Amino acid sequence: MIALREWVGQFAGAGKLVGIALVLGLAAMAGGWLTGVLKDREIAELKREHAEAAAKAERAASQRLAEAKARGDALTVDLHVANAAALRLQEQLHEEIELATQGRACLDAAALRVLDRAPGIAAPRVPAPARVAPAKDASDPARDTAQRAGDERSATDTDIGRWVLGAGRQYDECVRRLDALIDWHTPDPEHQDRAPAWN
């Protein structure tokens, strides 16, 4: 009987160990589950904060883009208005240059050939004309020379006045365009603290 009691006692002690092990296992599982729940909440909170930050950044970028577009549109309108005013002035000056000049020759063909080679003025190169056989009625060399001399180009004071007006207009238009570009790339004082990243 003593042996049976000892044998049952051994199992009773083992049952306590099994019970303790079972309680510890259940506690570990509950702790794991609780940790998982807490971590899931933290992750959900981080995702929400990230989504809010991304939405805020997108709204700010959209606002900067809209402001930049509005500013660009205003600069473009200003440029078109200035160009239209310059064109009206150019037309008026062309009319006045017609009245103020007499159409007399100022530069002969030799001077024009020199100017034709100047940078910024020279026309695109064209191939030299092919040689043409003289006409049947061109037997008089003196008449042929006089005719060639009459065909030579010359620039009148009116032509030069028009050219000066055109050069001034092109220069003025270039200045206006460059000024508009400079204005575009200069931060707007009202929004300098929120200047676009590309400035």
Side-chain angles (χ1 to χ4, degrees), residues 33-194:
W33 174 80
L34 186 59
T35 302
V37 168
L38 293 175
K39 289 296 179 190
D40 286 345
R41 285 185 182 169
E42 286 179 25
I43 290 171
E45 181 65 20
L46 286 174
K47 284 182 178 179
R48 186 188 61 75
E49 288 174 4
H50 178 72
E52 286 176 1
K56 183 179 177 182
E58 186 176 344
R59 284 191 302 272
S62 294
Q63 182 178 357
R64 283 196 308 269
L65 180 62
E67 289 170 357
K69 184 180 180 315
R71 189 164 173 250
D73 290 347
L75 289 171
T76 301
V77 167
D78 291 347
L79 181 61
H80 284 308
V81 167
N83 283 341
L87 183 60
R88 285 191 300 275
L89 177 62
Q90 186 75 14
E91 291 169 353
Q92 178 186 352
L93 291 174
H94 271 285
E95 290 174 6
E96 291 177 14
I97 202 74
E98 291 283 337
L99 299 172
T101 57
Q102 286 82 32
R104 62 177 180 264
C106 288
L107 297 175
D108 63 5
L112 292 178
R113 281 193 294 273
V114 171
L115 292 175
D116 282 344
R117 294 192 341 254
I121 299 175
R125 296 282 180 212
V126 292
R131 290 191 154 230
V132 180
K136 291 182 182 178
D137 62 347
S139 57
D140 183 6
R143 188 174 61 107
D144 189 39
T145 303
Q147 185 178 13
R148 275 199 311 266
D151 287 344
E152 293 224 4
R153 304 183 299 150
S154 67
T156 66
D157 56 352
T158 307
D159 295 332
I160 292 172
R162 285 183 184 154
W163 181 85
V164 168
L165 291 174
R169 179 189 57 79
Q170 289 176 350
Y171 173 80
D172 195 38
E173 184 173 342
C174 183
V175 167
R176 283 192 303 274
R177 286 182 179 189
L178 288 174
D179 284 345
L181 283 172
I182 290 168
D183 288 345
W184 166 250
H185 287 286
T186 303
D188 188 359
E190 293 178 16
H191 303 96
Q192 195 161 6
D193 57 330
R194 295 184 297 146

